[in-house]
Amino acid sequence: PDVITYSALISACEKAGQCDKAFEVHSMMEAAGCVPDSITYTALISACTKVGDLTRAFHILEHMKKQDISANPHIYDILVQACENCGRWEEAFLGYALMSKDGKQADEITYSALLKAYEKSQQWEKAIELYRKMEQRNDISVSYAFCNTLLSTLWRSGQFSIAFEELKRALEEDMYPQAKEPMGNRIDNGAFLALDLRQFTCGSALPRLVLWLCELDKNSTPSHRLPSHLAIITGSGRLSPSNSSSTVKNTVAAFLLKVQS
């Protein structure tokens, strides 16, 4: 068997979640004098991350470097994303640092995992710094999904004014087309305004809600009263399973009850 055959076997073990079996094939490969390549090591690292063995995954990456085998960007994507999923944020940041040191550019997968790691560890300054780097990249599309994570990070870290500024900028740039303008209609012969939060997550919905309510209050005058009805549309939320109650709805409802009390 050649390197292609062995790599295919290791990849099959990886897809089956059989990490130990993948390393058995790797041992057979080395015993046969067949030299692993980048594809082989990518499959081994992926096998490690699937079973949560991140220490072993980083050892493989270190071994690659000693063998002068260049790690492709996908390897770093796998590592950083796996670290974030396991809640091992410092190792996610280490993976990104090694990626930068290796001269590889992060992509949307890496940035998404890093932003989530900053969110969970409440490192809002690092989150903004990374977000700015993304904005400067012409080959990266900064969508509302990334903005949601940034807003959630800022809100949970108590950086409310910065969250509002970032949200205003995102709305001006039409990043949330559904939420750009409140919808109007009639309910029971009364005026009706609605806020659409279907593009928001639990963490980003609250800044949008508070900003909307503040804008309504600011624009309310004796000659221009608030509508008799306000509605908040949540749908199932961006991160809510379709067969469950809306987590965004529950978050918004809990917040409004707290405000009223």
Side-chain angles (χ1 to χ4, degrees):
D2 58 10
V3 63
I4 296 176
T5 304
Y6 279 118
S7 296
L9 284 171
I10 292 173
S11 181
C13 294
E14 173 262 325
K15 288 179 171 60
Q18 298 182 6
C19 183
D20 290 337
K21 185 66 69 175
F23 276 91
E24 284 181 20
V25 176
H26 176 249
S27 297
M28 291 169 55
M29 182 179 188
E30 290 186 322
C34 188
V35 180
D37 60 10
S38 178
I39 296 174
T40 312
Y41 286 121
T42 300
L44 284 172
I45 288 174
S46 182
C48 292
T49 59
K50 282 192 173 180
V51 297
D53 193 350
L54 300 180
T55 301
R56 199 177 195 181
F58 275 102
H59 283 163
I60 291 295
L61 179 62
E62 184 180 353
H63 181 69
M64 285 182 65
K65 293 181 180 298
K66 289 180 180 179
Q67 299 297 318
D68 290 327
I69 298 176
S70 178
N72 59 62
H74 182 55
I75 287 180
Y76 291 105
D77 284 344
I78 293 170
L79 277 173
V80 173
Q81 193 172 37
C83 292
E84 187 276 322
N85 288 336
C86 293
R88 293 164 66 168
W89 309 313
E90 292 303 324
E91 286 166 290
F93 306 146
L94 172 62
Y96 177 58
L98 291 173
M99 184 180 197
S100 301
K101 186 178 179 181
D102 201 21
K104 302 294 190 299
Q105 280 199 325
D107 58 13
E108 284 93 342
I109 296 173
T110 309
Y111 282 131
S112 177
L114 285 170
L115 276 176
K116 290 175 182 176
Y118 287 135
E119 175 191 11
K120 293 172 183 175
S121 57
Q122 295 190 0
Q123 297 189 49
W124 64 272
E125 291 174 308
K126 289 288 187 180
I128 290 181
E129 181 182 339
L130 185 70
Y131 193 79
R132 295 290 179 261
K133 284 184 180 180
M134 292 173 59
E135 291 180 320
Q136 293 169 3
R137 292 269 302 273
N138 294 327
D139 57 335
I140 295 290
S141 177
V142 183
S143 66
Y144 65 80
F146 292 112
C147 190
N148 277 338
T149 307
L150 178 64
L151 291 174
S152 179
T153 304
L154 293 168
W155 194 259
R156 292 177 178 177
S157 300
Q159 303 300 317
F160 305 123
S161 59
I162 301 178
F164 290 138
E165 291 304 313
E166 290 295 330
L167 176 57
K168 288 176 183 177
R169 191 161 68 94
L171 292 172
E172 289 172 359
E173 294 173 359
D174 203 20
M175 194 173 291
Y176 296 94
Q178 289 183 352
K180 188 175 181 181
E181 296 293 340
M183 296 178 290
N185 211 319
R186 308 285 295 183
I187 290 183
D188 297 333
N189 298 320
F192 160 53
L193 277 180
L195 174 66
D196 193 335
L197 295 178
R198 285 177 294 177
Q199 288 183 301
F200 292 82
T201 59
C202 291
S204 62
L206 293 185
R208 179 65 185 117
L209 172 62
V210 173
L211 181 63
W212 183 62
L213 293 175
C214 289
E215 288 173 345
L216 289 178
D217 184 62
K218 181 180 179 181
N219 295 329
S220 176
T221 63
S223 59
H224 183 74
R225 291 187 170 186
L226 288 175
S228 58
H229 292 84
L230 298 178
I232 300 171
I233 303 170
T234 60
S236 60
R238 281 275 301 158
L239 299 182
S240 300
S242 58
N243 61 347
S244 71
S245 60
S246 169
T247 56
V248 174
K249 178 181 178 181
N250 294 339
T251 300
V252 169
F255 177 79
L256 292 175
L257 284 175
K258 185 177 180 180
V259 171
Q260 289 176 351
S261 62

